Amino acid sequence: FAEHSLELQIATTVLFPGAAELLHDLHGRGFQLGIVSSKRSTSLNPVLERLQVRTLLDVLLGGDMVTAPKPDPEGLLRAMALLDCPPEKLLFCGDTILDAGAAQGAGCHFCAVLNGTTGAEAFASYPCDFIAPDLWALKDWLQR
């Protein structure tokens, strides 16, 4: 069952609207990009390769690559070390309060993106540089 589930996930997963365009834009402008996810790297890598965006990423850390899941900042701290990026230079974007908590714990900037199931009000107790209603709005904000 697990093998069939992984194959199905790889074949059917799609990006949120605006994700590919955002990644291509930022990569084209020379930004280092990464993903720190709770999802397993064994599914993330093939999905991102199929969607032709994996090569845009400098770092990809799945939940199976850390000992403590978000909101623990371990994944973000590891990504910063791999990118040689200090916390004050990192912007972590996420759609859950687990993401916001990880960013707060890592001491980096955070942008909430409301393309998941978490509403803006849930981020009120976290430091957010911006709350984007979607990835198109995030792309616009980052171009300022």
Side-chain angles (χ1 to χ4, degrees), residues 16-79:
F16 283 117
E21 294 84 355
L22 175 62
L23 291 172
H24 281 283
D25 176 66
L26 293 173
H27 180 78
R29 292 197 282 148
F31 285 93
Q32 290 183 298
L33 304 173
I35 291 178
V36 176
S37 178
S38 298
K39 293 176 179 57
R40 298 183 61 75
S41 62
T42 52
S43 59
L44 280 173
N45 271 308
V47 165
L48 295 170
E49 287 171 8
R50 182 183 64 79
L51 296 170
Q52 299 180 341
V53 295
R54 177 61 183 98
T55 59
L56 304 175
L57 303 171
D58 300 289
V59 171
L60 188 144
L61 294 173
D64 56 319
M65 300 170 78
V66 296
T67 58
K70 292 184 276 183
D72 189 286
E74 178 188 350
L76 282 176
L77 295 171
R78 186 164 168 209

Side-chain angles (χ1 to χ4, degrees), residues 71 94-102 104 110-128 130-132:
D95 61 1
T96 71
I97 58 171
L98 297 176
D99 296 322
Q104 186 175 29
F110 179 72
C111 176
V113 183
L114 305 181
N115 56 4
T117 58
T118 306
E121 66 284 348
F123 296 101
S125 62
Y126 296 94
C128 293
F130 182 61
I131 298 178

Side-chain angles (χ1 to χ4, degrees), residues 16-23 25 113 115 130 132-144:
F16 283 117
E21 294 84 355
L22 175 62
L23 291 172
D25 176 66
V113 183
N115 56 4
F130 182 61
D134 55 34
L135 292 170
W136 298 110
L138 175 60
K139 184 175 180 277
D140 289 344
W141 181 71
L142 291 171
Q143 288 177 335
R144 296 180 186 173

